[in-house]
Amino acid sequence: MKALVMVLGTSMLSVGGYAAEELTVYTALEAEDLKKYATRFNQKHPEIKINWVRDSTGITTAKLIAEKENPRADVVLGLAATSLLVLKKQNMLQPYSPKGVEKLKTSFVDADSTPSWVGMNAWVASICFNTIEAKKHNIPKPTSWSDLLDPVYQGQVIMPNPNSSGTGFLDVSSWQQLFGEELGWAYMDALHNNISRYTHSGSKPCKLAASGETVIGISFAFRGARLKEKGAPIDLIFPEEGLGWDMEAAAIVKGTKNLSAAKTLMDWVVTREANELYNEGFAVVAMPGVAKPIKYYPQNIDELMIENNFEWAAKNRTTILAMWQKRFDGKSEAR
């Protein structure tokens, strides 16, 4: 799968007539949002041009690790915190305390005295349920993760592959935390019977539910809310056992030749203005007092989010992904 490369920002000449600084930024943000992020940043910093390299979380993480000895990215922005913890463990991130980082929730900032990464917002697991197709096939609406094991859903569930999708990984790691590791794998064994296929994108299962190709897409709330807002015949379901989640986060790649510009971008990432931008799609953001309710999200979504152990998830990521691939990869769609 080729990465989506987009050049967004100012022209090569800044207002003063000098060549703009360029930053190569690796991201897993939704492709349609990249221009918006660059535009908001360039309103404050027209002297820096962002060259986005966009792919899914798993692929972006693997790409960064493969480039460890010869890094090509300057900054990582909008990648799962669990992935950044893996990169930090491999000494691939440049510690930096962005100006104003002390205003963020401590849970959204790396615990080191000089943080290696900072969180932006939280994206939360949810189920996209096509009400029209469900009625056609007389399929009941689930309310829990356990409901999805019912044989009535056989062949009607699509979820993301955790090796390529950050959403897929938060599902798998959260089920293990909710049910315990052994019962978590047993849950996935049973769920596998009802899965029609695994996608390489976290948003795709919801898109497929919205189009009627499947009744149930295990995805994330932001994508579901956006599709429902556009008129898709889906309901968003937030399973009663609890919601897996991860943070979109940002960090400077160690070895960047554009450290000053990278720090400028990180300073912007923690601003109130940036957090208000995150809140346009996400109900939980890093800065307290900013988040306003998002349409179609439950008012108490923060209470539904599990006590996610990011350190555990990052430490066990390789083992979890290898085990998942061995057990379930046979139903993954072709890349």
Side-chain angles (χ1 to χ4, degrees), residues 103-165:
K103 297 177 182 177
L104 304 186
K105 301 171 189 173
T106 56
S107 58
F108 276 73
V109 182
D110 179 28
D112 288 356
S113 56
T114 302
S116 291
W117 56 269
V118 295
M120 300 159 55
N121 54 71
W123 88 92
V124 181
S126 69
I127 296 169
C128 296
F129 181 76
N130 188 301
T131 55
I132 293 176
E133 292 301 311
K135 188 174 182 180
K136 283 182 186 177
H137 299 285
N138 196 29
I139 294 175
K141 183 176 177 178
T143 62
S144 67
W145 295 120
S146 297
D147 284 350
L148 296 185
L149 305 186
D150 192 313
V152 73
Y153 300 113
Q154 188 168 14
Q156 297 291 350
V157 183
I158 293 177
M159 74 165 279
N161 180 323
N163 279 282
S164 48
S165 162

Side-chain angles (χ1 to χ4, degrees), residues 249-291:
I252 298 173
V253 178
K254 183 170 285 189
T256 175
K257 295 180 175 62
N258 301 294
L259 185 57
S260 177
K263 288 181 176 180
T264 299
L265 178 55
M266 290 295 291
D267 289 343
W268 177 81
V269 163
V270 305
T271 61
R272 184 180 185 89
E273 178 185 16
N275 276 263
E276 288 172 349
L277 169 61
Y278 311 149
N279 187 223
E280 290 178 13
F282 297 90
V284 180
V285 300
M287 184 174 285
V290 169

Side-chain angles (χ1 to χ4, degrees), residues 33 75 78 87 108 165 189 191 209 214 242 247 259 261 277 292 294:
D33 289 332
V75 175
L87 301 181
F108 276 73
S165 162
D189 285 335
L191 179 64
T214 188
M247 279 185 272
L259 185 57
L277 169 61
K292 297 178 181 178
I294 300 293

Side-chain angles (χ1 to χ4, degrees), residues 157-222:
V157 183
I158 293 177
M159 74 165 279
N161 180 323
N163 279 282
S164 48
S165 162
T167 304
F169 181 70
L170 76 82
D171 288 326
V172 172
S173 62
S174 67
W175 290 331
Q176 289 193 309
Q177 292 181 67
L178 276 169
F179 306 133
E181 291 184 51
E182 186 175 342
L183 290 178
W185 287 116
Y187 172 79
M188 285 180 268
D189 285 335
L191 179 64
H192 185 68
N193 294 327
N194 289 344
I195 296 283
S196 62
R197 74 180 188 271
Y198 300 99
T199 67
H200 295 294
S201 159
S203 60
K204 190 173 182 180
C206 194
K207 292 177 182 177
L208 294 172
S211 68
E213 187 168 333
T214 188
V215 174
I216 291 173
I218 299 174
S219 188
F220 56 95
F222 166 58

